Amino acid sequence: MATMASLFLKTPTPSPSLPKSPLVHFRAGSGRLTPGPARIRCGLIEPDGGKLVDLVVEAPQRDLRKRQATSLPQIKLSKIDIQWVHVLSEGWASPLKGFMRESEFLQTLHFNSLRLVDDGSIVNMSVPIVLAIDDLCKNNIGDSTSVALVDDKDKPIAILNDIEIYKHNKEERIARTWGTTAPGLPYAEEAITHAGNWLIGGDLEVIEPIKYHDGLDRFRLSPAELRDEFTRRNADAVFAFQLRNPVHNGHALLMTDTRRRLLEIGYKNPVLLLHPLGGHTKADDVPLQWRMKQHEMVLEDGVLDPETTVVSIFPSPMHYAGPTEVQWHAKARINAGANFYIVGRDPAGMGHPLEKRDLYDADHGKKVLSMAPGLERLNILPFKVWRQ
Amino acid sequence: MATMASLFLKTPTPSPSLPKSPLVHFRAGSGRLTPGPARIRCGLIEPDGGKLVDLVVEAPQRDLRKRQATSLPQIKLSKIDIQWVHVLSEGWASPLKGFMRESEFLQTLHFNSLRLVDDGSIVNMSVPIVLAIDDLCKNNIGDSTSVALVDDKDKPIAILNDIEIYKHNKEERIARTWGTTAPGLPYAEEAITHAGNWLIGGDLEVIEPIKYHDGLDRFRLSPAELRDEFTRRNADAVFAFQLRNPVHNGHALLMTDTRRRLLEIGYKNPVLLLHPLGGHTKADDVPLQWRMKQHEMVLEDGVLDPETTVVSIFPSPMHYAGPTEVQWHAKARINAGANFYIVGRDPAGMGHPLEKRDLYDADHGKKVLSMAPGLERLNILPFKVWRQ
């Protein structure tokens, strides 16, 4: 907790410089970070682009869209594709309105950010959210400007409009996203290496909310639902904790201590978003079902206070792309209303697929996060877990 | 010239939207692009960070610095290292004041840009300018906060102050800079793969101007000298043309046509910076000596007008990193006073080292350039050369 302590002890009373982590020194524009009282007045942090994207078709139009989908060229979605449709449909990637077109794909690979057309402002976007198709599928689409996205039973999931098809350079995508092209990257093996040689971008219309019917859908709150919940609880600060493993004592201590310190520095009701990742993970990670049971027990046992904790599932698939991916994890939580993001050692990291070392420097995640374009409004809380 | 033609024909009279290339549509802040008349009033475009960096020690202090250098731990520089010292010393990389520290290295790899400490503004910086050292050298440095940089004859070239030593993850550096880790990348083979496992950053004091004594030093004008020359010629627009090959007819036609069209749209005296790259290039590129002879002949033959053309050598080594490197080529020219940058097909590209294809999509260079953070002030002029 050394880092956390120094962070707060340096700033005993609320001030604009308060929420900065020691890492933010390189970011001069820190005046943009708002102190507690401002949050109380302003309510929750604004979503990227100013408005939360919602791509789910209004109920009355759904039957029409389903019929329209049947007359369009079809693209069959993988499980991971559907998880991305889910992510896009609820605005986790706001202001992105569908699978990336080439200009968005290139900005993501080279700049980890997007410049908005309307006002030229910058939002963070570090992980490509793209849909791959093969040559046969591309030929089937022909001159159509829209396509239907269907599941493995050919059920229409969404319509992609005003489409753009461009080359899928897998090697470059992998190299720029992971900083390696070593075989054995779980997401690359699952979703890229054997995927098609083309990417198709466009504006998404999702026919109905994505459900998994695995008994956990009740935990899958959308960014809008989370914002409503935080407002209902009168939260004046929301601190998000992303995890893909069971909660251990270090985590629990950290989360309770974070709330205590946020109270100390002037916030009236900081709420914790305990936000396990629910999308595709590598085979040796703990399955979501078990993790959710464990998270519920942590609350039942009173290790975390249910009154000030919201447990929800983050629907994104996992890239294990370290410093690149942690930006996505943080950016998505801004859209869910979080203005504090807790980041630990080697976030979204893993061992190198071929060499006996971690793929990423354990400190690069929080360093990159603290300097990332489009995340200036987010207060980064780095921490170290005691190991005894 | 189709693209050039469409660019200018669309905008017969000077207007704020004039200098935008068709690619700039995604950049909303195009109001920042200034039309001809504004340039006439404002003089040359400002260097990145507002002030041109000059790291060469004042003449009176040089002997003192040489003596101080002898008492410091020494780092032996390669030819390419010295070319980077040259680049840094004259402010081509302004506002960078020395070899990158880790925060700058990480921002370059992930964001192709740097956020300035003083005002939070963004400058483009797409290529790592770093100095590698091995374990032995690191141990020799010990606790010293400064080191001497010496040439192969142990002659002191510069002093690096307030140093920071950090890990050199070669695989990640190569993957994020080139978008591939395939063996056979000329710069990687020459300067990275066999380099040390550590990088050393710091503030540079260069003891005297870098000279090569190859008969071409008279062509190596610094950004400050180029700015003086453009001012002396009363240039109200400077259009830069980077090349690493002999000028061919398509180039010449393009450059003369560009000036004609800049005159048409209201500039009074556009000057061409014909700017061959003079640093390390791959073995099968035409040597600098031959290229300079050819460039001189192009002027003597009147193919280009000596009155409105400045031929100078850009001292940077060549990365062949395509869309990543073209940003560096453009950014450096802003610091030399250019407000227009001509970009062609597959800039800074090469064939894939292992596969029978170009390493980069031929259009990605100009697309990335038109969207790059920190280059909003630069007017990108894409072109196609006729092939007959």
Side-chain angles (χ1 to χ4, degrees), chain A residues 45-171:
Chain A
I45 188 171
E46 266 209 344
D48 278 343
K51 191 175 177 305
L52 201 56
V53 165
D54 175 1
L55 303 176
V56 180
V57 174
E58 301 279 334
Q61 277 91 52
R62 288 176 189 170
D63 288 339
L64 173 63
R65 287 287 182 283
K66 278 183 204 163
R67 283 196 301 277
Q68 289 175 330
T70 59
S71 68
L72 293 171
Q74 294 194 343
I75 297 175
K76 193 154 285 191
L77 300 181
S78 70
K79 281 195 168 60
I80 288 179
D81 293 334
I82 291 174
Q83 289 169 1
W84 283 123
V85 170
H86 183 185
V87 164
L88 290 164
S89 70
E90 296 180 339
W92 296 97
S94 292
L96 205 58
K97 293 185 170 58
F99 286 106
M100 290 178 173
R101 299 188 176 89
E102 191 181 41
S103 65
E104 294 155 336
F105 178 63
L106 289 174
Q107 288 181 87
T108 295
L109 287 188
H110 288 275
F111 315 132
N112 289 7
S113 59
L114 301 176
R115 190 188 300 269
L116 303 190
V117 180
D118 51 1
D119 65 356
S121 65
I122 299 293
V123 297
N124 189 270
M125 194 66 245
S126 61
V127 164
I129 302 182
V130 289
L131 181 59
I133 58 174
D134 59 21
D135 297 35
L136 178 63
C137 183
K138 179 174 181 289
N139 295 338
N140 291 343
I141 292 167
D143 297 336
S144 178
T145 58
S146 296
V147 295
L149 309 184
V150 304
D151 67 12
D152 56 357
K153 297 177 185 61
D154 295 329
K155 179 190 160 203
I157 300 294
I159 295 174
L160 197 63
N161 296 311
D162 191 12
I163 60 171
E164 177 185 305
I165 297 176
Y166 54 102
K167 285 197 209 107
H168 186 194
N169 185 329
K170 302 173 186 181
E171 180 189 50

Side-chain angles (χ1 to χ4, degrees), chain B residues 72-358:
Chain B
L72 293 171
Q74 294 194 342
I75 297 176
K76 193 155 285 194
L77 300 180
S78 70
K79 281 194 167 60
I80 288 179
D81 293 334
I82 291 176
Q83 290 169 1
W84 284 123
V85 170
H86 183 186
V87 164
L88 291 165
S89 70
E90 296 181 340
W92 295 98
S94 292
L96 204 58
K97 293 186 169 56
F99 286 105
M100 291 179 172
R101 299 188 176 91
E102 191 181 40
S103 65
E104 294 155 335
F105 178 63
L106 289 174
Q107 288 182 87
T108 295
L109 287 188
H110 288 275
F111 314 131
N112 289 7
S113 58
L114 302 176
R115 192 189 300 268
L116 303 191
V117 180
D118 52 1
D119 66 357
S121 64
I122 299 292
V123 297
N124 188 269
M125 194 66 245
S126 61
V127 164
I129 301 181
V130 290
L131 182 58
I133 57 174
D134 60 21
D135 298 34
L136 177 63
C137 183
K138 179 173 181 288
N139 295 337
N140 290 343
I141 292 168
D143 298 336
S144 177
T145 58
S146 297
V147 295
L149 309 184
V150 305
D151 67 11
D152 56 358
K153 298 178 185 60
D154 294 329
K155 179 189 160 203
I157 301 294
I159 295 174
L160 196 63
N161 295 310
D162 192 12
I163 60 171
E164 176 185 305
I165 298 176
Y166 54 101
K167 282 195 212 110
H168 185 194
N169 185 328
K170 301 173 186 180
E171 180 190 49
E172 183 173 11
R173 175 184 172 190
I174 293 169
R176 296 196 191 276
T177 304
W178 280 271
T180 177
T181 56
L185 297 169
Y187 187 91
E189 301 272 303
E190 181 72 27
I192 302 179
T193 311
H194 308 293
N197 293 320
W198 303 94
L199 297 174
I200 181 168
D203 298 330
L204 205 54
E205 288 183 295
V206 181
I207 292 171
E208 54 196 7
I210 304 293
K211 299 295 174 191
Y212 301 82
H213 310 292
D214 56 358
L216 298 178
D217 284 330
R218 66 197 166 95
F219 286 110
R220 295 189 174 94
L221 301 183
S222 71
E225 290 168 329
L226 285 169
R227 286 174 170 269
D228 291 345
E229 182 62 22
F230 298 139
T231 305
R232 196 182 62 72
R233 297 193 187 202
N234 296 313
D236 60 354
V238 176
F239 55 109
F241 191 65
Q242 139 80 32
L243 71 173
R244 64 172 207 268
N245 293 306
V247 176
H248 62 60
N249 290 343
H251 292 156
L253 173 63
L254 165 82
M255 290 184 273
T256 48
D257 199 59
T258 302
R259 174 171 159 85
R260 184 178 61 75
R261 293 174 185 276
L262 287 171
L263 288 168
E264 271 175 22
I265 59 173
Y267 288 99
K268 299 287 176 286
N269 185 27
V271 169
L272 164 64
L273 171 59
L274 181 59
H275 216 192
L277 180 138
H280 180 269
T281 53
K282 57 189 169 69
D284 60 351
D285 278 1
V286 179
L288 181 63
Q289 296 281 354
W290 302 6
R291 284 185 282 138
M292 291 310 293
K293 282 195 176 60
Q294 196 262 355
H295 296 344
E296 282 190 291
M297 283 176 56
V298 168
L299 288 172
E300 286 163 13
D301 299 352
V303 179
L304 293 171
D305 176 5
E307 286 302 308
T308 59
T309 306
V310 175
V311 181
S312 183
I313 293 173
F314 177 48
S316 172
M318 188 75 198
H319 268 57
Y320 306 93
T324 300
E325 183 169 28
V326 72
Q327 297 172 69
W328 160 241
H329 288 174
K331 175 244 169 64
R333 272 49 177 242
I334 291 176
N335 285 333
N339 57 327
F340 285 85
Y341 186 83
I342 300 171
V343 59
R345 182 187 174 283
D346 196 19
M350 58 173 276
H352 192 288
L354 301 179
E355 301 167 24
K356 283 195 174 160
R357 61 171 178 92
D358 286 340

